[in-house]
Amino acid sequence: MLAVHLENGAVTVRDAPMPARPHGHALLRLLCGGICNTDLELQRGYYGFAGTPGHEFVAEVAEAEDRSLAGRRVVGEINLACMACEWCRQGLGRHCPNRTVLGIQGHAGAFSEFFSLPERNLHALDDAIPAGRAVFAEPLAAACEILEQVAIPPGDAVAVLGDGKLGLLAAMVLEAHGCRVRLFGHHERKLRIAAAAGVGCEIARGPLPTPVLPTAAYQWVVEATGSRDGLRAAVALCRPRGTVILKSTVHGEVPVDAAPIVVNEITLVGSRCGRLETALPLLAHNRIPVEEMIAARYPLREAVRAFEHAARPGTLKVLLEAGYAPSSVCLT
Ligand SMILES: [Zn+2]
Ligand SMILES: [Zn+2]
């Protein structure tokens, strides 16, 4: 079977052996994968990664212990939790210290014709949700996580900094929640996607990386710039006693001037992945126009070109599609 391999900055597509199916796991056949900024960071050496990446996926269940899953299209929770520790007992497997993570840490990823995940991680998809929409479940859940962590009242004004994939999703989720969202970005084409979903958008004036933004203007600021300078800009934008939600994972250190955070008593909230249960209804009801964010689709065997495309500045979501010929695959 074909599998994407990342190592020392290089993307290759290899012929790999079929993955084992550990007890409790389903064997999944990839239908569609999404290349995420995390995958590009892994390529740059984040986590010293070497292996098959991919954690945004839609797959078909090829084999499972739970017979009701057989043949179903699924998305899946990417953290493989131990289910025994204090965090797992609280239902916070995403913070399990013993976890592995699909395509990121210790578990081969989804950019492969076949891969495995625990059956308990899977969510069967409604047939009406096309794969090109469902593949956004994981990043959309990450955007929804903001509202799981911070109770932002509907009607409140929220600033979102950054018009990358996560910035757009966060802005549209908060807008759907009833917030008055202002999205600051640099790309008119991307801002148009959020504007069509009702988000108020503004081109951040001034030169990169520190555009001129309003000062102390928002009670709630979501930092999704993906840049080292995003935190400083977000803190400047936040009102005294306000909250900055940090979404960017930047490889390396982020410089912080703590004084304005202390003086203005700003709360910083780190925010990562979220629950698929929250994202799936938004996709089922097509509340968030995620498909507008698809920049290109490539067959899995052209993953090298797909990664090159995804890495071009300003590119939104690049999808990998596994067109397979079932007769050529032997499942034993
Ligand atoms: Zn991701
Ligand atoms: Zn655990």
Side-chain angles (χ1 to χ4, degrees):
M1 64 158 198
L2 289 181
V4 177
H5 186 84
L6 271 192
E7 193 161 2
N8 295 327
V11 183
T12 49
V13 180
R14 300 179 170 185
D15 191 23
M18 285 289 282
R21 182 167 75 84
H23 177 68
H25 284 223
L27 182 67
L28 303 173
R29 188 199 319 264
L30 179 70
L31 298 174
C32 180
I35 300 177
C36 156
N37 282 358
T38 304
D39 299 316
L40 301 174
E41 292 280 347
L42 292 177
Q43 192 184 351
R44 290 180 199 122
Y46 201 46
Y47 292 128
F49 184 87
T52 297
H55 57 273
E56 300 178 5
F57 73 87
V58 179
E60 186 182 276
V61 177
E63 277 179 27
E65 278 156 38
D66 176 353
R67 295 202 168 258
S68 71
L69 280 171
R72 294 295 302 269
R73 286 186 326 143
V74 293
V75 292
E77 159 63 46
I78 71 173
N79 294 284
L80 290 84
C82 78
M83 304 310 284
C85 74
E86 175 194 348
W87 296 99
C88 287
R89 285 199 302 269
Q90 292 175 52
L92 282 171
R94 282 170 284 151
H95 291 285
C96 169
N98 311 313
R99 73 188 185 276
T100 58
V101 187
L102 177 71
I104 295 176
Q105 210 167 25
H107 191 83
F111 296 165
S112 177
E113 281 181 293
F114 291 89
F115 58 104
S116 83
L117 260 190
E119 292 178 17
R120 63 170 178 271
N121 285 39
L122 302 178
H123 295 262
L125 284 173
D126 195 303
D127 287 341
I129 309 181
R133 190 192 309 160
V135 75
F136 285 88
E138 197 276 333
L140 187 61
C144 293
E145 175 73 355
I146 295 169
L147 290 167
E148 300 263 334
Q149 292 176 281
V150 185
I152 306 179
D156 268 23
V158 183
V160 177
L161 271 183
D163 56 10
K165 296 178 273 293
L166 198 48
L168 290 177
L169 290 172
M172 294 192 286
V173 162
L174 291 165
E175 185 72 30
H177 177 65
C179 295
R180 291 177 292 120
V181 180
R182 198 83 186 151
L183 172 62
F184 296 90
H186 284 107
H187 307 89
E188 226 167 294
R189 183 176 47 84
K190 295 194 209 172
L191 292 174
R192 267 203 295 274
I193 296 170
V199 173
C201 294
E202 197 163 318
I203 292 278
R205 290 163 290 120
L208 281 165
T210 46
V212 180
L213 294 166
T215 307
Y218 288 88
Q219 182 71 21
W220 311 99
V221 180
V222 177
E223 192 285 308
T225 63
S227 97
R228 266 153 222 263
D229 300 290
L231 175 57
R232 190 197 341 230
V235 167
L237 191 55
C238 190
R239 287 165 60 164
R241 288 271 170 130
T243 299
V244 170
I245 299 113
L246 285 168
K247 271 299 189 188
S248 298
T249 41
V250 182
H251 182 42
E253 290 185 4
V254 172
V256 185
D257 177 4
I261 301 169
V262 174
V263 171
N264 296 317
E265 300 189 330
I266 286 169
T267 302
L268 294 184
V269 178
S271 177
R272 189 176 46 118
C273 6
R275 295 184 319 119
L276 293 171
E277 293 89 334
T278 319
L280 287 172
L282 292 174
L283 291 172
H285 300 119
N286 211 4
R287 293 277 308 277
I288 313 285
V290 293
E291 286 149 290
E292 300 293 319
M293 293 172 55
I294 300 172
R297 299 167 187 256
Y298 289 85
L300 183 65
R301 66 179 177 284
E302 289 179 32
V304 177
R305 281 178 56 215
F307 267 75
E308 279 167 9
H309 189 158
R312 281 180 223 152
T315 304
L316 288 173
K317 187 59 75 185
V318 173
L319 301 183
L320 287 170
E321 293 177 315
Y324 64 92
S327 58
S328 71
V329 176
C330 177
L331 283 178
T332 48

